[in-house]
Amino acid sequence: VNPNISSDSVRISYFLTLQHSLSKMKAAIFGPACVREVESAAKVVYITSHHNKQLQDKQGHVALHENKQSWEEWIITDAGSQKVFITSNQGKVLRDDHGTVNFGYPGGHWEKWSLSNAPGKGKVYITSHRGKLLATRDNDEIYLGDEKTKEAEWTITKKGHVTKNEDCKKWQEAGTLEIA
């Protein structure tokens, strides 16, 4: 027995080995391209305002739109300390730039947001590093506010996975290929 190896490191090593083995098994059964396609789609979300419009990266400008296409797709990733990065399909990260909502690059505190429950089923508040709430006005203007009003309520939903690969589609519809 090696006293320098803790039970935690053994558990982590076992978990990573198990996770790697499951990934290899899925790839062997379903095909690596199919697994990659479903795993990447599972991370994409839409961020919808109380006006039922999606947050959008409109060629570098933050906007709202009725569409659910690539410009309205976002990936939310862990930024540590219960904060997240909200990254557009263009690879730009949403930020609070001294009270202006625009884009930056991951790593700075301006790009960190927290998500908290808002009233209503599935609603959330998106709060900047300065404690300001991402909100929308009736004219679709996006701003940072102080009050937890309906204007600051958002719904975050996973993009429904649509595949052109018929085998992937059958496996997913049957519930055989489920990626969390």
Side-chain angles (χ1 to χ4, degrees):
V1 175
N2 185 340
N4 296 324
I5 299 176
S6 71
S7 61
D8 287 339
S9 66
V10 170
R11 273 190 286 258
I12 290 170
S13 176
Y14 175 77
F15 176 73
L16 292 174
T17 301
L18 180 62
Q19 194 174 34
H20 178 71
S21 297
L22 289 172
S23 180
K24 285 176 74 174
M25 189 176 7
K26 286 177 189 173
I29 295 169
F30 303 114
C34 184
V35 172
R36 271 194 311 276
E37 183 178 341
V38 174
E39 283 178 339
S40 63
K43 297 175 184 174
V44 175
V45 298
Y46 296 110
I47 303 172
T48 308
S49 74
H50 72 286
H51 293 296
N52 206 30
K53 292 183 179 179
Q54 282 61 242
L55 195 63
Q56 176 190 65
D57 177 350
K58 186 176 182 180
Q59 298 176 341
H61 300 284
V62 183
L64 290 173
H65 204 281
E66 299 90 12
N67 288 344
K68 282 190 172 181
Q69 296 178 5
S70 63
W71 286 10
E72 293 81 33
E73 294 175 358
W74 300 85
I75 295 177
I76 298 177
T77 55
D78 185 13
S81 302
Q82 299 180 336
K83 305 281 186 199
V84 296
F85 293 119
I86 302 173
T87 307
S88 78
N89 72 321
Q90 307 288 319
K92 298 175 196 135
V93 181
L94 196 67
R95 74 175 174 182
D96 172 354
D97 184 1
H98 301 288
T100 301
V101 182
N102 59 27
F103 294 105
Y105 297 95
H109 66 277
W110 292 4
E111 292 83 20
K112 292 182 181 181
W113 300 84
S114 58
L115 305 176
S116 58
N117 291 331
K121 186 176 180 184
K123 304 285 183 187
V124 296
Y125 293 120
I126 302 173
T127 308
S128 77
H129 70 282
R130 297 182 319 112
K132 302 296 182 181
L133 297 156
L134 187 66
T136 64
R137 293 198 169 90
D138 289 338
N139 64 357
D140 292 343
E141 176 190 356
I142 298 168
Y143 71 99
L144 294 165
D146 293 312
E147 296 183 29
K148 292 184 174 183
T149 63
K150 191 169 195 74
E151 291 181 337
E153 293 177 7
W154 298 86
T155 305
I156 299 174
T157 54
K158 282 186 179 181
K159 175 184 177 181
H161 177 65
V162 177
T163 179
K164 292 182 173 90
N165 181 317
E166 287 303 313
D167 287 333
C168 288
K169 196 174 192 174
K170 287 177 200 169
W171 290 323
Q172 191 178 21
E173 287 171 356
T176 312
L177 179 58
E178 187 174 307
I179 311 285

